[in-house]
Amino acid sequence: AQSVAQPEDQVNVAEGNPLTVKCTYSVSGNPYLFWYVQYPNRGLQFLLKYITGDNLVKGSYGFEAEFNKSQTSFHLKKPSALVSDSALYFCAVRANDYKLSFGAGTTVTVRA
Amino acid sequence: NAGVTQTPKFQVLKTGQSMTLQCAQDMNHNSMYWYRQDPGMGLRLIYYSASEGTTDKGEVPNGYNVSRLNKREFSLRLESAAPSQTSVYFCASSFRDRVISGTDTQYFGPGTRLTVL
């Protein structure tokens, strides 16, 4: 079985401050980890993924994520948040099958 | 290149009515998926199609049927809608490598917001 936990329902930050969205996972075998963002009334947009190699993954819109195998975490980060980063963020994990297991999502609000 | 498209965008049904949600992709992907999104629960897989001509159940298939019409199109049918099927439905597609499975990125459509009264 595979699962993802996003421990924070909401994250609030001021524009220009660092943004971190937390994710921990559980999976048998090698984990493939993904981050998606959803803007209001829109579909999910792919941000980045970890397959293998460098633990720091860079993605779209200035986001990056750090894979930590010992802590089974894959936290999403952005050094300087923008108001336009306000959205719903999903972490997802997959083993080697078709099922992509999503977390419940974290709502990010960036205030001006 | 439109990506993944879904129709309709919104739908209201009465309990017991049937309807089909349409999905098409123009990225030449081999795999397609249907998810539902409910508040606080993330996305849950209903059905998927690994390749043209094959379909398999996901984690919440009850009350739904699917058809992989061709490589581009994957439809989801509700035969007798129930209020518990009120949700936002997303279609997704990916190119799945048969050798290095699991690493493919899924791309999502804009969603269909369904209300069952």
Side-chain angles (χ1 to χ4, degrees):
Chain A
Q2 56 201 39
S3 64
V4 165
Q6 293 181 242
E8 299 162 317
D9 292 336
Q10 292 199 346
V11 170
N12 299 304
V13 298
E15 189 172 34
N17 282 2
L19 169 63
T20 298
V21 186
K22 296 180 180 178
C23 171
T24 59
Y25 67 90
S26 174
V27 67
S28 299
N30 293 323
Y32 303 130
L33 295 153
F34 301 78
W35 275 103
Y36 285 86
V37 60
Q38 184 180 30
Y39 298 101
N41 300 312
R42 303 285 294 275
L44 276 70
Q45 296 181 28
F46 169 72
L47 282 178
L48 52 81
K49 67 181 178 182
Y50 172 82
I51 302 301
T52 187
D54 194 343
N55 289 341
L56 185 64
V57 180
K58 294 188 181 296
S60 306
Y61 313 121
F63 284 94
E64 58 188 28
E66 186 168 12
F67 171 67
N68 187 317
K69 187 173 183 178
S70 63
Q71 296 186 4
T72 60
S73 67
F74 189 55
H75 301 330
L76 182 70
K77 300 179 181 181
K78 187 170 184 180
S80 178
L82 301 172
V83 172
S84 57
D85 293 328
S86 298
L88 181 59
Y89 290 79
F90 289 101
C91 182
V93 68
R94 194 181 207 174
N96 61 354
D97 60 8
Y98 288 90
K99 180 183 174 183
L100 191 60
S101 296
F102 286 85
T106 299
T107 299
V108 171
T109 302
V110 182
R111 60 185 184 276
Chain B
N1 191 341
V4 180
T5 57
Q6 293 182 236
T7 56
K9 291 185 179 180
F10 302 94
Q11 184 71 48
V12 179
L13 294 177
K14 295 180 179 179
T15 296
Q17 287 185 316
S18 62
M19 78 160 296
T20 299
L21 282 65
Q22 306 287 353
C23 173
Q25 54 88 12
D26 62 0
M27 296 177 281
N28 202 32
H29 286 166
N30 52 5
S31 298
M32 297 186 74
Y33 313 82
W34 276 106
Y35 291 88
R36 60 177 288 171
Q37 182 182 25
D38 301 294
M41 301 185 72
L43 278 75
R44 292 180 291 169
L45 183 64
I46 305 172
Y47 271 92
Y48 67 92
S49 171
S51 60
E52 186 178 353
T54 68
T55 61
D56 284 285
K57 296 178 180 179
E59 58 184 311
V60 288
N62 291 343
Y64 305 95
N65 285 299
V66 291
S67 295
R68 182 75 181 266
L69 305 171
N70 47 55
K71 191 172 185 179
R72 291 187 63 248
E73 298 173 288
F74 188 39
S75 63
L76 178 71
R77 182 161 178 83
L78 287 70
E79 292 290 352
S80 179
S84 61
Q85 294 179 305
T86 293
S87 187
V88 182
Y89 291 85
F90 288 101
C91 178
S93 71
S94 70
F95 182 76
R96 187 172 178 88
D97 189 300
R98 292 181 182 177
V99 176
I100 311 175
S101 59
T103 63
D104 48 306
T105 298
Q106 294 182 15
Y107 295 92
F108 286 79
T112 294
R113 190 173 296 271
L114 175 67
T115 301
V116 183
L117 303 175

